[in-house]
Amino acid sequence: EAARVVGCEEHRQLARQAEDNRERFLTAIRPVLADLLRESGADLLLDRSVVLIAGDAIDLTDLAVARIDAQLGDGSQPPAQP
């Protein structure tokens, strides 16, 4: 029973850490994506998982990834600690 309680707490801690990391990432990329949105004349930026069908001409994914990588790095190096 005690091992299960410890396991549950570790799971909650990892989930909190993952959510914190996600929020930091989204905060860091928001200005990059806002610039891309403005430059492209788009009104909306959607996660691919919520799009049923779309034409290739409006897919900004590759450009967004390239700009995020340029701004934050490509993930091959550990992030700088705040």
Side-chain angles (χ1 to χ4, degrees):
E1 182 66 28
R4 185 166 43 191
V5 170
V6 169
C8 288
E9 180 54 36
E10 288 173 352
H11 176 74
R12 281 192 292 273
Q13 185 177 13
L14 285 173
R16 276 193 304 270
Q17 184 179 15
E19 183 59 27
D20 289 347
N21 289 341
R22 180 180 181 279
E23 286 300 318
R24 278 199 309 275
F25 178 71
L26 291 175
T27 298
I29 68 170
R30 192 166 282 117
V32 175
L33 297 179
D35 287 345
L36 182 59
L37 198 69
R38 207 172 15 263
E39 291 169 16
S40 69
D43 294 319
L44 183 65
L45 194 62
L46 297 172
D47 185 304
R48 208 178 256 176
S49 67
V50 299
V51 175
L52 182 61
I53 190 168
D56 290 336
I58 63 170
D59 188 351
L60 300 174
T61 303
D62 291 339
L63 184 55
V65 169
R67 289 195 182 182
I68 291 166
D69 286 352
Q71 182 76 23
L72 302 178
D74 64 4
S76 64
Q77 300 294 321
Q81 295 300 319

